[in-house]
C-alpha cells in the first residue's frame, strides 16, 4: 500500500509537470493508450466476453463518463493549483461517499458518521478558504472532480460483480476518447523522451493499482487502507521539491480534519460491516 500510494503521487507529480507543456486531452490520450497496451495481455487471457457482457450497462456507461471527467478535472486543476491542494480535495471523496450512500445505496449512516461527515465538510471549507480570491475556476473544478470521484467510488460499490479488468478497460477507453476529442485543438508533437514520459503515466498507474490490490489480498482493509493518506504527505514533499510549492496553513489544517474524518468513517464502517472478505477498489 505504501509503494502504491507513493507511485500514484509520483505519477501525479509527473502529470503536473507534463501538463505545463501538453494539453490535458493529449496527456489523457497517450496515457490511456499506454495503459491499454499494458492491460491487453490480461484482457486476452480472460477473453473478450467479460468486456461486453456486463451487468447494468447504464451504470457502466455512467461510470466511464464519471471516471473520464474526474481524470480530466484532476489534471486541469494541477495546472493551476499546488499538488497538495488538489490532493486534499480528492481525499475528501470518502466523506462525500459516506454522505451520499444513504440516498444512493440505501445504506444506514448513524449519528457518529454524520458528525464525522460534518467535520469533513468543515475541513474542505477550511482548505478551500472561500473568498473571491480563492474561488478560482481551478478550485471549483477540483471540487467537481472530487465529487465525480466520489460518485465513481459509489458506482464501484454498485458494480461489485464486474471484474476489475473490465472496469479499468472501459475507464481507460473513456479517457482515451475524451482525450482524442479535445487533443486536435491543442496538439503539440512530443519528443521521443516526452512521449515516453507521457506513456509512463499509464504504466505507473497500472503498477500502482497492482500494488494496492495486492496489499488488500495480503492483509485486512483496516490494516492497509489508512496508509493511502500518505499520498498527502508525498504530495506536500514533492510539490515543495519539484514545484517550490509551500503549503498554506489553512490547507494543512483542513487536510488534517479531512483525513481524521475520513479515517473515523472508514474504521466505523469496518466495525459495523459483516465479516465477509472482500477486495476494495481504490
Amino acid at each position: 500500500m505504501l509503494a502504491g500510494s507513493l507511485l500514484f503521487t509520483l505519477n501525479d507529480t509527473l502529470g503536473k509537470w507534463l501538463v505545463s507543456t501538453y494539453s490535458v486531452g493529449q496527456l489523457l490520450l497517450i496515457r490511456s493508450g499506454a495503459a491499454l497496451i499494458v492491460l491487453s495481455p490480461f484482457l486476452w487471457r480472460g477473453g473478450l466476453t467479460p468486456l461486453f457482457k456486463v451487468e447494468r450497462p447504464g451504470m457502466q456507461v455512467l461510470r466511464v463518463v464519471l471516471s473520464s471527467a474526474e481524470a480530466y478535472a484532476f489534471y486541469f486543476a494541477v495546472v493551476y493549483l499546488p499538488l497538495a491542494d488538489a490532493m486534499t480535495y480528492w481525499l475528501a471523496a470518502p466523506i462525500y461517499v459516506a454522505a451520499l450512500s444513504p440516498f444512493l445505496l440505501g445504506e444506514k449512516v448513524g449519528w457518529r458518521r454524520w458528525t464525522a461527515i460534518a467535520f469533513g465538510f468543515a475541513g474542505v471549507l477550511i482548505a478551500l478558504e472561500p473568498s473571491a480570491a480563492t474561488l478560482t475556476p481551478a478550485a471549483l473544478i477540483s471540487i467537481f472532480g472530487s465529487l465525480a470521484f466520489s460518485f465513481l467510488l459509489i458506482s464501484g460499490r454498485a458494480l461489485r460483480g464486474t471484474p476489475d479488468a473490465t472496469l479499468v478497460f472501459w475507464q481507460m477507453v473513456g479517457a482515451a476518447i475524451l482525450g482524442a476529442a479535445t487533443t486536435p485543438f491543442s496538439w503539440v508533437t512530443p519528443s521521443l523522451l516526452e512521449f515516453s514520459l507521457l506513456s509512463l503515466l499509464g504504466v505507473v498507474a497500472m503498477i500502482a493499482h497492482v500494488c494496492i490490490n495486492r496489499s488488500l489480498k495480503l492483509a485486512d482493509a483496516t490494516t492497509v487502507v489508512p496508509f493511502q493518506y500518505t499520498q498527502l504527505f508525498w504530495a506536500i514533499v514533492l510539490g515543495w521539491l519539484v514545484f517550490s510549492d509551500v503549503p498554506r496553513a489553512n490547507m494543512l489544517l483542513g487536510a488534517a480534519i479531512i483525513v481524521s474524518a475520513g479515517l473515523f468513517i472508514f474504521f466505523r464502517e469496518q466495525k459495523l460491516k459483516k465479516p465477509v472478505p472482500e477486495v476494495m477498489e481504490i
Side-chain angles (χ1 to χ4, degrees):
M1 179 63 77
L2 287 171
S5 298
L6 174 58
L7 285 172
F8 269 127
T9 314
L10 288 170
N11 207 44
D12 294 339
T13 305
L14 177 59
K16 178 175 172 62
W17 181 70
L18 288 169
V19 290
S20 64
T21 304
Y22 301 97
S23 68
V24 176
Q26 186 171 348
L27 181 146
L28 285 180
L29 175 61
I30 299 176
R31 167 186 178 266
S32 301
L36 287 170
I37 291 172
V38 173
L39 190 62
S40 58
F42 302 97
L43 297 173
W44 183 263
R45 184 176 62 183
L48 298 180
T49 300
L51 297 180
F52 298 97
K53 192 176 180 180
V54 295
E55 59 174 336
R56 305 180 69 176
M59 180 68 74
Q60 299 281 355
V61 172
L62 177 61
R63 178 182 172 82
V64 171
V65 172
L66 290 170
S67 65
S68 302
E70 179 266 331
Y72 199 101
F74 179 83
Y75 286 113
F76 181 89
V78 295
V79 174
Y80 305 99
L81 294 178
L83 188 62
D85 285 40
M87 189 69 71
T88 297
Y89 299 135
W90 257 260
L91 287 177
I95 296 168
Y96 303 148
V97 171
L100 292 168
S101 59
F103 309 103
L104 299 180
L105 297 175
E107 297 180 359
K108 183 180 179 181
V109 175
W111 68 268
R112 294 179 180 86
R113 278 181 288 172
W114 277 120
T115 303
I117 290 167
F119 274 101
F121 278 117
V124 173
L125 291 175
I126 291 171
L128 184 61
E129 196 180 8
S131 69
T134 58
L135 285 177
T136 61
L140 294 175
I141 286 174
S142 290
I143 298 298
F144 165 78
S146 63
L147 283 169
F149 183 53
S150 67
F151 280 107
L152 187 64
L153 295 176
I154 290 173
S155 70
R157 291 188 183 184
L159 298 172
R160 292 180 185 273
T162 303
D164 289 341
T166 300
L167 293 174
V168 173
F169 171 78
W170 288 114
Q171 281 183 231
M172 293 302 169
V173 168
I177 292 172
L178 179 59
T182 55
T183 294
F185 304 103
S186 54
W187 176 266
V188 175
T189 302
S191 65
L192 179 61
L193 173 61
E194 292 187 332
F195 182 84
S196 300
L197 292 176
L198 287 163
S199 302
L200 189 63
L201 287 172
V203 176
V204 172
M206 295 298 296
I207 296 172
H209 275 296
V210 170
C211 289
I212 288 176
N213 287 335
R214 184 62 180 166
S215 75
L216 290 163
K217 291 179 181 179
L218 293 172
D220 292 337
T222 51
T223 302
V224 294
V225 166
F227 287 105
Q228 286 184 98
Y229 287 102
T230 57
Q231 290 184 54
L232 180 59
F233 168 77
W234 289 120
I236 293 172
V237 171
L238 292 171
W240 176 62
L241 290 175
V242 179
F243 306 107
S244 300
D245 292 332
V246 178
R248 297 172 292 117
N250 62 290
M251 188 281 293
L252 292 175
L253 175 60
I257 295 172
I258 290 168
V259 170
S260 300
L263 287 174
F264 178 86
I265 291 168
F266 171 75
F267 284 117
R268 183 65 182 169
E269 287 178 347
Q270 293 297 309
K271 183 177 180 180
L272 298 174
K273 187 184 296 183
K274 294 179 181 179
V276 178
E278 63 171 297
V279 175
M280 294 177 60
E281 181 190 349
I282 307 299

